[in-house]
Every structure is written in C-alpha cells, then in structure tokens.
C-alpha cells in the first residue's frame, strides 16, 4: 500500500533519514539506491519521491542537518565564555561529546563530502569553514592575550580538529575510559601543546 504525505509524513521522513544514515555508513553513498532505501523503510519505490527527489538530495540533507546541529550546539556550549582558555576548554568538551554521540553523521559528513555535487558541496564547505573559524578565533584571541603560544592559528586549528574528530573512529563506550575521562585527556593534551610558557591551565 502506497503511503501519501500526511500525518505520517514526518515519521516516514525520519525513518528514511535514519535508514539513509545507516546504509550510507555501511555500504557507501555510491553503492546504495533509492529502491534499496524504500525497501529498508517499507514503502514502494515510487512513493520515495513524496519525500526526496534524489539520492543526492538525501545526502545533502543529512550532511547539512548535521552541520546545522553542530553549529547550533557549539554556539550554546560557548555562550557566555569570554576568556580564550575557557572557550578552548568548552570547545574541546563539546566537540568530543558531539562526535562520540553522532558517529554516523560525523563519518558520513567527512567520508562522503566527495560525493556532494555543485552547490551542495559549496554550501557544506562554507558551513565547515564557519565552524573551523570558531576555533581559529579562539586561538587568535588566546595568542593576543598571551595565554597561547604564537603559532599559525589555522594550521593549529586543523591539527586540533583532526585529533578531536578522530575519537569517533576508535572510541568504545564500553571500554575502560568514560566520556569525562576522554574529554579531560584531550583537554590536557591540547592545552599542554598550546599554552604559552607561564600561562595557568
């Protein structure tokens, strides 16, 4: 029986999104089809077009929504923090916590960026630069205040982000280190690398 857009529409769209995340994570964007996605959700292939027009639209929507959530949540995490050292600690806490809770979104947002086309790719790259810029500004402010070592802020930011984002590929919640321990470990490592001589951690 074909489903139509109506009261069940939002629930069906959420099911499509969840299935899309799972299938793309397992098989890769190029390997999946809308027919396969429809079978996973339990709707006829033709009915998929009531919700998404193409596989590219689904991928863009998944990555865009991930970036929107990332940007909104980091803004909340940094709200009210003026001191660069406090902001850096908060940024590290947020980034680690977010990335171990949203592993599928993070994985797809990184590995399938290459599969985005034209304006879709341009839009996501702009959102990524905005997020990266938050960390660059924190580092620049810390250097200006004499709290952080004089380095190249963008390069330092990219190195920090690579370390922090990597947790989603290896962290095991059932392992011997809990989330708070993981956050403190990364805070200690990063602060140990960027703090200026004589600055108080």
């Amino acid at each position: 029986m074909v489903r139509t857009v109506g009261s069940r529409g939002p629930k069906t769209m959420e099911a499509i999104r969840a299935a899309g995340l799972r299938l793309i994570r397992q098989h890769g964007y190029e390997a999946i089809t809308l027919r396969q996605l429809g079978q996973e959700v339990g709707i006829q292939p033709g009915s998929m077009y009531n919700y998404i027009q193409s596989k590219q639209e689904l991928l863009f929507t998944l990555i865009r929504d991930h970036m929107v959530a990332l940007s909104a949540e980091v803004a909340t995490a940094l709200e009210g923090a003026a001191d660069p050292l406090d902001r850096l600690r908060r940024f590290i806490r947020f980034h680690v916590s977010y990335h171990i809770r949203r592993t599928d979104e993070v994985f797809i947002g990184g590995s399938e960026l290459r599969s985005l086309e034209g304006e879709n790719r341009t839009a996501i790259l702009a959102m990524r630069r905005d997020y990266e810029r938050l960390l660059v500004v924190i580092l620049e402010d810390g250097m200006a205040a004499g709290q952080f070592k004089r380095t190249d802020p963008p390069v330092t930011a990219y190195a920090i982000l690579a370390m922090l984002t990597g947790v989603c590929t290896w962290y095991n919640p059932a392992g011997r280190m809990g989330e708070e321990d993981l956050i403190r470990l990364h805070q200690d490592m990063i602060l140990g690398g960027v703090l200026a001589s004589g600055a108080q951690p």
Side-chain angles (χ1 to χ4, degrees):
M1 176 178 170
V2 177
R3 296 182 183 177
T4 57
V5 177
S7 62
R8 300 175 69 180
K11 288 187 177 180
T12 302
M13 188 62 218
E14 187 56 37
I16 290 171
R17 287 164 50 84
L21 279 173
R22 184 169 62 254
L23 290 174
I24 295 173
R25 176 72 188 265
Q26 291 175 351
H27 306 293
Y29 172 77
E30 294 297 337
I32 70 166
T33 65
L34 290 185
R35 177 178 293 275
Q36 180 185 11
L37 188 58
Q39 291 174 341
E40 188 81 6
V41 178
I43 63 177
Q44 296 295 324
S47 298
M48 288 291 295
Y49 295 101
N50 290 325
Y51 302 96
I52 55 172
Q53 296 302 306
S54 67
K55 193 171 68 167
Q56 175 70 197
E57 179 187 327
L58 174 64
L59 179 65
F60 173 67
T61 299
L62 292 174
I63 299 179
R64 181 201 61 200
D65 290 354
H66 153 59
M67 290 305 304
V68 168
L70 185 73
S71 298
E73 292 184 31
V74 74
T76 299
L78 296 177
E79 188 174 7
D83 177 64
L85 181 55
D86 183 30
R87 282 156 57 204
L88 181 56
R89 283 186 179 278
R90 291 191 189 197
F91 185 94
I92 295 167
R93 169 175 290 279
F94 163 76
H95 195 94
V96 171
S97 180
Y98 181 98
H99 282 64
I100 62 177
R101 288 186 287 110
R102 304 275 193 99
T103 55
D104 287 347
E105 291 95 329
V106 171
F107 180 85
I108 291 170
S111 66
E112 296 296 351
L113 182 64
R114 61 191 176 186
S115 299
L116 289 172
E117 301 169 357
E119 293 180 359
N120 290 343
R121 180 180 174 86
T122 299
I124 297 302
L125 287 175
M127 296 175 79
R128 285 167 64 101
R129 284 193 295 270
D130 288 343
Y131 183 78
E132 292 162 357
R133 182 63 187 162
L134 289 174
L135 180 55
V136 172
V137 170
I138 291 172
L139 295 172
E140 289 174 341
D141 290 348
M143 291 176 197
Q147 293 175 311
F148 301 156
K149 297 174 184 175
R150 288 280 175 185
T151 62
D152 184 309
V155 172
T156 303
Y158 298 150
I160 291 172
L161 287 169
M163 178 195 300
L164 294 177
T165 303
V167 300
C168 71
T169 65
W170 58 262
Y171 178 64
N172 180 5
R176 66 178 183 275
M177 183 170 285
E179 180 176 337
E180 283 299 319
D181 297 322
L182 190 68
I183 290 169
R184 283 195 296 271
L185 173 67
H186 282 81
Q187 287 175 334
D188 289 347
M189 287 192 296
I190 292 169
L191 292 178
V194 303
L195 279 178
S197 178
Q200 292 298 316

PDB file of all heavy atoms in Angstrom, residues 56 60 113-125:
ATOM      1  N   GLN A  56      21.124  12.259  -4.163  1.00  0.00           N
ATOM      2  CA  GLN A  56      21.966  13.418  -3.869  1.00  0.00           C
ATOM      3  C   GLN A  56      21.275  14.348  -2.882  1.00  0.00           C
ATOM      4  O   GLN A  56      21.915  14.869  -1.970  1.00  0.00           O
ATOM      5  CB  GLN A  56      22.293  14.167  -5.162  1.00  0.00           C
ATOM      6  CG  GLN A  56      23.072  15.453  -4.982  1.00  0.00           C
ATOM      7  CD  GLN A  56      24.515  15.265  -4.532  1.00  0.00           C
ATOM      8  OE1 GLN A  56      25.147  16.204  -4.059  1.00  0.00           O
ATOM      9  NE2 GLN A  56      25.058  14.057  -4.662  1.00  0.00           N
ATOM     10  N   PHE A  60      22.803  15.410   0.789  1.00  0.00           N
ATOM     11  CA  PHE A  60      22.962  16.812   1.158  1.00  0.00           C
ATOM     12  C   PHE A  60      22.165  17.141   2.417  1.00  0.00           C
ATOM     13  O   PHE A  60      22.671  17.822   3.319  1.00  0.00           O
ATOM     14  CB  PHE A  60      22.512  17.722   0.008  1.00  0.00           C
ATOM     15  CG  PHE A  60      22.492  19.184   0.380  1.00  0.00           C
ATOM     16  CD1 PHE A  60      23.667  19.861   0.644  1.00  0.00           C
ATOM     17  CD2 PHE A  60      21.291  19.858   0.502  1.00  0.00           C
ATOM     18  CE1 PHE A  60      23.656  21.208   0.993  1.00  0.00           C
ATOM     19  CE2 PHE A  60      21.265  21.199   0.851  1.00  0.00           C
ATOM     20  CZ  PHE A  60      22.442  21.877   1.102  1.00  0.00           C
ATOM     21  N   LEU A 113      31.790  13.729   1.765  1.00  0.00           N
ATOM     22  CA  LEU A 113      31.866  15.103   1.261  1.00  0.00           C
ATOM     23  C   LEU A 113      32.213  15.093  -0.224  1.00  0.00           C
ATOM     24  O   LEU A 113      31.719  15.901  -1.010  1.00  0.00           O
ATOM     25  CB  LEU A 113      32.906  15.892   2.049  1.00  0.00           C
ATOM     26  CG  LEU A 113      33.082  17.366   1.692  1.00  0.00           C
ATOM     27  CD1 LEU A 113      31.806  18.146   1.989  1.00  0.00           C
ATOM     28  CD2 LEU A 113      34.259  17.964   2.440  1.00  0.00           C
ATOM     29  N   ARG A 114      33.038  14.127  -0.623  1.00  0.00           N
ATOM     30  CA  ARG A 114      33.458  13.999  -2.028  1.00  0.00           C
ATOM     31  C   ARG A 114      32.295  13.702  -2.958  1.00  0.00           C
ATOM     32  O   ARG A 114      32.374  13.947  -4.164  1.00  0.00           O
ATOM     33  CB  ARG A 114      34.473  12.853  -2.132  1.00  0.00           C
ATOM     34  CG  ARG A 114      33.881  11.518  -1.711  1.00  0.00           C
ATOM     35  CD  ARG A 114      34.873  10.416  -1.549  1.00  0.00           C
ATOM     36  NE  ARG A 114      34.210   9.213  -1.043  1.00  0.00           N
ATOM     37  CZ  ARG A 114      34.841   8.115  -0.689  1.00  0.00           C
ATOM     38  NH1 ARG A 114      36.152   8.064  -0.770  1.00  0.00           N
ATOM     39  NH2 ARG A 114      34.164   7.066  -0.242  1.00  0.00           N
ATOM     40  N   SER A 115      31.207  13.133  -2.407  1.00  0.00           N
ATOM     41  CA  SER A 115      30.073  12.741  -3.229  1.00  0.00           C
ATOM     42  C   SER A 115      29.073  13.873  -3.447  1.00  0.00           C
ATOM     43  O   SER A 115      28.149  13.724  -4.255  1.00  0.00           O
ATOM     44  CB  SER A 115      29.347  11.543  -2.597  1.00  0.00           C
ATOM     45  OG  SER A 115      30.209  10.426  -2.489  1.00  0.00           O
ATOM     46  N   LEU A 116      29.223  14.969  -2.723  1.00  0.00           N
ATOM     47  CA  LEU A 116      28.329  16.114  -2.922  1.00  0.00           C
ATOM     48  C   LEU A 116      28.669  16.805  -4.233  1.00  0.00           C
ATOM     49  O   LEU A 116      29.832  16.895  -4.616  1.00  0.00           O
ATOM     50  CB  LEU A 116      28.455  17.094  -1.762  1.00  0.00           C
ATOM     51  CG  LEU A 116      27.878  16.638  -0.427  1.00  0.00           C
ATOM     52  CD1 LEU A 116      28.246  17.631   0.663  1.00  0.00           C
ATOM     53  CD2 LEU A 116      26.356  16.483  -0.507  1.00  0.00           C
ATOM     54  N   GLU A 117      27.646  17.337  -4.877  1.00  0.00           N
ATOM     55  CA  GLU A 117      27.824  17.935  -6.193  1.00  0.00           C
ATOM     56  C   GLU A 117      27.531  19.433  -6.169  1.00  0.00           C
ATOM     57  O   GLU A 117      26.665  19.898  -5.429  1.00  0.00           O
ATOM     58  CB  GLU A 117      26.877  17.264  -7.200  1.00  0.00           C
ATOM     59  CG  GLU A 117      27.105  15.762  -7.328  1.00  0.00           C
ATOM     60  CD  GLU A 117      25.992  15.078  -8.111  1.00  0.00           C
ATOM     61  OE1 GLU A 117      25.016  15.776  -8.495  1.00  0.00           O
ATOM     62  OE2 GLU A 117      26.091  13.867  -8.342  1.00  0.00           O
ATOM     63  N   GLY A 118      28.266  20.179  -6.987  1.00  0.00           N
ATOM     64  CA  GLY A 118      27.975  21.573  -7.262  1.00  0.00           C
ATOM     65  C   GLY A 118      27.695  22.436  -6.048  1.00  0.00           C
ATOM     66  O   GLY A 118      28.502  22.542  -5.125  1.00  0.00           O
ATOM     67  N   GLU A 119      26.515  23.064  -6.052  1.00  0.00           N
ATOM     68  CA  GLU A 119      26.132  23.978  -4.985  1.00  0.00           C
ATOM     69  C   GLU A 119      26.006  23.281  -3.638  1.00  0.00           C
ATOM     70  O   GLU A 119      26.223  23.909  -2.596  1.00  0.00           O
ATOM     71  CB  GLU A 119      24.821  24.673  -5.336  1.00  0.00           C
ATOM     72  CG  GLU A 119      24.922  25.623  -6.526  1.00  0.00           C
ATOM     73  CD  GLU A 119      23.605  26.301  -6.835  1.00  0.00           C
ATOM     74  OE1 GLU A 119      22.608  26.007  -6.135  1.00  0.00           O
ATOM     75  OE2 GLU A 119      23.567  27.126  -7.755  1.00  0.00           O
ATOM     76  N   ASN A 120      25.647  22.002  -3.660  1.00  0.00           N
ATOM     77  CA  ASN A 120      25.552  21.253  -2.400  1.00  0.00           C
ATOM     78  C   ASN A 120      26.913  21.209  -1.708  1.00  0.00           C
ATOM     79  O   ASN A 120      27.024  21.461  -0.501  1.00  0.00           O
ATOM     80  CB  ASN A 120      25.052  19.832  -2.654  1.00  0.00           C
ATOM     81  CG  ASN A 120      23.600  19.782  -3.076  1.00  0.00           C
ATOM     82  OD1 ASN A 120      22.860  20.743  -2.895  1.00  0.00           O
ATOM     83  ND2 ASN A 120      23.182  18.666  -3.635  1.00  0.00           N
ATOM     84  N   ARG A 121      27.936  20.889  -2.471  1.00  0.00           N
ATOM     85  CA  ARG A 121      29.288  20.826  -1.908  1.00  0.00           C
ATOM     86  C   ARG A 121      29.752  22.202  -1.443  1.00  0.00           C
ATOM     87  O   ARG A 121      30.333  22.337  -0.358  1.00  0.00           O
ATOM     88  CB  ARG A 121      30.252  20.262  -2.952  1.00  0.00           C
ATOM     89  CG  ARG A 121      31.697  20.155  -2.477  1.00  0.00           C
ATOM     90  CD  ARG A 121      32.586  19.584  -3.577  1.00  0.00           C
ATOM     91  NE  ARG A 121      33.971  19.607  -3.195  1.00  0.00           N
ATOM     92  CZ  ARG A 121      34.598  18.673  -2.504  1.00  0.00           C
ATOM     93  NH1 ARG A 121      33.916  17.610  -2.102  1.00  0.00           N
ATOM     94  NH2 ARG A 121      35.868  18.771  -2.193  1.00  0.00           N
ATOM     95  N   THR A 122      29.470  23.220  -2.250  1.00  0.00           N
ATOM     96  CA  THR A 122      29.872  24.583  -1.893  1.00  0.00           C
ATOM     97  C   THR A 122      29.237  25.018  -0.576  1.00  0.00           C
ATOM     98  O   THR A 122      29.897  25.621   0.282  1.00  0.00           O
ATOM     99  CB  THR A 122      29.469  25.558  -3.018  1.00  0.00           C
ATOM    100  OG1 THR A 122      30.134  25.180  -4.229  1.00  0.00           O
ATOM    101  CG2 THR A 122      29.851  26.979  -2.657  1.00  0.00           C
ATOM    102  N   ALA A 123      27.951  24.704  -0.402  1.00  0.00           N
ATOM    103  CA  ALA A 123      27.243  25.101   0.815  1.00  0.00           C
ATOM    104  C   ALA A 123      27.817  24.416   2.045  1.00  0.00           C
ATOM    105  O   ALA A 123      28.012  25.051   3.094  1.00  0.00           O
ATOM    106  CB  ALA A 123      25.753  24.774   0.683  1.00  0.00           C
ATOM    107  N   ILE A 124      28.111  23.135   1.935  1.00  0.00           N
ATOM    108  CA  ILE A 124      28.648  22.397   3.085  1.00  0.00           C
ATOM    109  C   ILE A 124      30.056  22.862   3.414  1.00  0.00           C
ATOM    110  O   ILE A 124      30.417  23.018   4.592  1.00  0.00           O
ATOM    111  CB  ILE A 124      28.621  20.877   2.820  1.00  0.00           C
ATOM    112  CG1 ILE A 124      27.179  20.388   2.652  1.00  0.00           C
ATOM    113  CG2 ILE A 124      29.315  20.127   3.961  1.00  0.00           C
ATOM    114  CD1 ILE A 124      26.264  20.668   3.827  1.00  0.00           C
ATOM    115  N   LEU A 125      30.870  23.103   2.404  1.00  0.00           N
ATOM    116  CA  LEU A 125      32.232  23.591   2.657  1.00  0.00           C
ATOM    117  C   LEU A 125      32.209  24.931   3.379  1.00  0.00           C
ATOM    118  O   LEU A 125      33.039  25.186   4.260  1.00  0.00           O
ATOM    119  CB  LEU A 125      33.006  23.699   1.344  1.00  0.00           C
ATOM    120  CG  LEU A 125      33.445  22.382   0.697  1.00  0.00           C
ATOM    121  CD1 LEU A 125      34.079  22.639  -0.655  1.00  0.00           C
ATOM    122  CD2 LEU A 125      34.407  21.621   1.610  1.00  0.00           C
TER     123      LEU A 125
END
